[in-house]
Amino acid sequence: MTPIPTQTSTPLIKSSKLKEGQSKGFIVGSTNLFIVRHQGKVVAYLNSCPHRKIPLQCLPNQFLDFDKQFIRCSNHAALFTIEHGLCISGPCNHQSLTRVNVEEYDDQIYCTIPPA
């Protein structure tokens, strides 16, 4: 039998270090991702614009628009909903960011990267 790789949770940051309306990028293994705290919840996506498959931000940890209501691709000015990662404006309209599983407990934020 071929063993099935298990998915493991990777600690990213203490919950208290990610305030409402903040975003932060991480590289876990070979996976480039970012997290956002929005309306008290944490969401995570791969840091890759569906239009050209390039990172969304040009400055570290700057994934949100000025009003902190949308995820913004700094290369194309595309806007994505924070809750679902759906592009609502820009060259990748109606495409979505790839979601990453994220959990928050014991004052820690964890992500789970599926095996390649």
Side-chain angles (χ1 to χ4, degrees), residues 47-58:
N47 183 8
S48 179
C49 180
H51 178 227
R52 294 251 172 104
K53 307 295 184 219
I54 57 176
L56 295 162
Q57 89 294 358
C58 59

Side-chain angles (χ1 to χ4, degrees), residues 6 10 16 43 51 59 61-62 65 72 83 89 104 108:
T6 59
T10 302
S16 56
V43 294
H51 178 227
L59 295 173
N61 303 316
Q62 299 296 314
D65 69 333
R72 182 179 183 274
E83 299 86 356
S89 173
E104 185 173 19
Q108 188 74 35

Side-chain angles (χ1 to χ4, degrees), residues 15 24 40 81 88 105 113 116:
S15 294
K24 181 142 180 67
T81 63
I88 58 165
Y105 55 90
I113 306 296

Side-chain angles (χ1 to χ4, degrees), residues 61-78:
N61 303 316
Q62 299 296 314
F63 295 93
L64 301 177
D65 69 333
F66 181 76
D67 295 325
K68 300 183 186 309
Q69 295 302 306
F70 296 97
I71 297 166
R72 182 179 183 274
C73 176
S74 63
N75 295 287
H76 312 107

Side-chain angles (χ1 to χ4, degrees), residues 6-15 18 24-36 42-47 98-105 107-115:
T6 59
Q7 296 181 1
T8 59
S9 291
T10 302
L12 297 176
I13 189 173
K14 287 196 167 292
S15 294
L18 187 71
K24 181 142 180 67
F26 299 90
I27 297 178
V28 177
S30 61
T31 302
N32 189 348
L33 64 107
F34 67 98
I35 59 174
V36 177
V42 178
V43 294
Y45 296 99
L46 293 182
N47 183 8
T98 302
R99 194 165 194 129
V100 174
N101 185 40
V102 68
E103 297 178 290
E104 185 173 19
Y105 55 90
D107 192 36
Q108 188 74 35
I109 298 170
Y110 298 86
C111 75
T112 303
I113 306 296

